[in-house]
Amino acid sequence: VEVEARTVNNVSARHVFSSRVAMRRGLGVLVAVGLSACTVGGVDFTKPSAAYSLTGNYVLSLVAAADCDLPVTSFEWPVVGTAGPGYNDALVMTLPDGDRRVHLVFCGSCQADPDLVLGELDTDGPPEGDAPVPGGLKLLADLTLTGRVEADGSGRGGVSSGVAEGTLALSRESDAEADALGSCLSDVASWSLRPR
């Protein structure tokens, strides 16, 4: 590329061009240095997601939003967390023995802050038939869970209080309709995960 040298207000166009090239090169070096450190706003992108620390035996609790008109509003299950096959499903939690009537999948690369977790909870099974609830009931849940992982006194990670967004529907085990006792779509339900 040939640049014609002109003088405008005593400034050479060639000088302006070479200054811009130098600035772009300098900016490229700064960006490369910034990316190699992998921290932006205090978040270290090289630190693995806290979802990876949630393996083992836990208790998963859900609390429906206050405005949900369900006869039961608090639910709890023993779950087991195992490492998943990839970043999008870094950790999979189910009822014991791989029973997927409670099926929670945490993403390992979806949150900018590695201490935050993002998970998808469904109760589709197998085996067929939504999440068991004491008293002969079952819960259909389709929720997105977010929360911050914090270590408890023993050093194991857990989530003391997170946000659950989505649908809950309650019915009797014998009901054909999943929402026979009511359903609720809410973005203010809550959840927790504690070691057991």
Side-chain angles (χ1 to χ4, degrees), residues 77-159:
W77 303 274
V79 292
V80 179
T82 57
Y87 289 119
N88 290 334
D89 47 4
L91 185 89
V92 178
M93 289 193 156
T94 63
L95 293 172
D97 300 321
D99 183 334
R100 289 177 41 171
R101 289 178 295 164
V102 172
H103 182 236
L104 175 55
V105 178
F106 286 107
C107 181
S109 60
C110 299
Q111 299 291 87
D113 182 341
D115 291 330
L116 296 178
V117 289
L118 172 69
E120 296 293 326
L121 173 69
D122 69 74
T123 56
D124 298 337
E128 189 174 323
D130 308 320
V133 176
L137 303 177
K138 60 184 179 177
L139 180 75
L140 171 73
D142 187 8
L143 300 168
T144 299
L145 308 180
T146 55
R148 178 171 297 281
V149 174
E150 299 168 337
D152 68 0
S154 69
R156 288 190 64 200
V159 177

Side-chain angles (χ1 to χ4, degrees), residues 2-182:
E2 200 171 290
V3 178
E4 182 179 332
R6 292 189 211 156
T7 303
V8 179
N9 293 335
N10 294 326
V11 176
S12 165
R14 182 169 287 153
H15 175 73
V16 170
F17 176 78
S18 64
S19 295
R20 286 186 182 158
V21 169
M23 282 178 34
R24 285 186 186 145
R25 286 184 184 146
L27 182 59
V29 169
L30 287 175
V31 168
V33 168
L35 288 178
S36 68
C38 292
T39 58
V40 176
V43 176
D44 183 356
F45 290 101
T46 62
K47 183 178 175 187
S49 170
Y52 291 106
S53 70
L54 300 175
T55 58
N57 296 319
Y58 282 85
V59 174
L60 172 64
S61 301
L62 286 176
V63 178
D67 61 349
C68 286
D69 188 22
L70 297 173
V72 178
T73 57
S74 183
F75 310 93
E76 195 169 90
W77 303 274
V79 292
V80 179
T82 57
Y87 289 119
N88 290 334
D89 47 4
L91 185 89
V92 178
M93 289 193 156
T94 63
L95 293 172
D97 300 321
D99 183 334
R100 289 177 41 171
R101 289 178 295 164
V102 172
H103 182 236
L104 175 55
V105 178
F106 286 107
C107 181
S109 60
C110 299
Q111 299 291 87
D113 182 341
D115 291 330
L116 296 178
V117 289
L118 172 69
E120 296 293 326
L121 173 69
D122 69 74
T123 56
D124 298 337
E128 189 174 323
D130 308 320
V133 176
L137 303 177
K138 60 184 179 177
L139 180 75
L140 171 73
D142 187 8
L143 300 168
T144 299
L145 308 180
T146 55
R148 178 171 297 281
V149 174
E150 299 168 337
D152 68 0
S154 69
R156 288 190 64 200
V159 177
S160 59
S161 180
V163 175
E165 300 179 45
T167 303
L168 297 173
L170 191 65
S171 62
R172 292 172 211 85
E173 288 178 352
S174 59
D175 290 330
E177 297 296 321
D179 61 352
L181 297 177

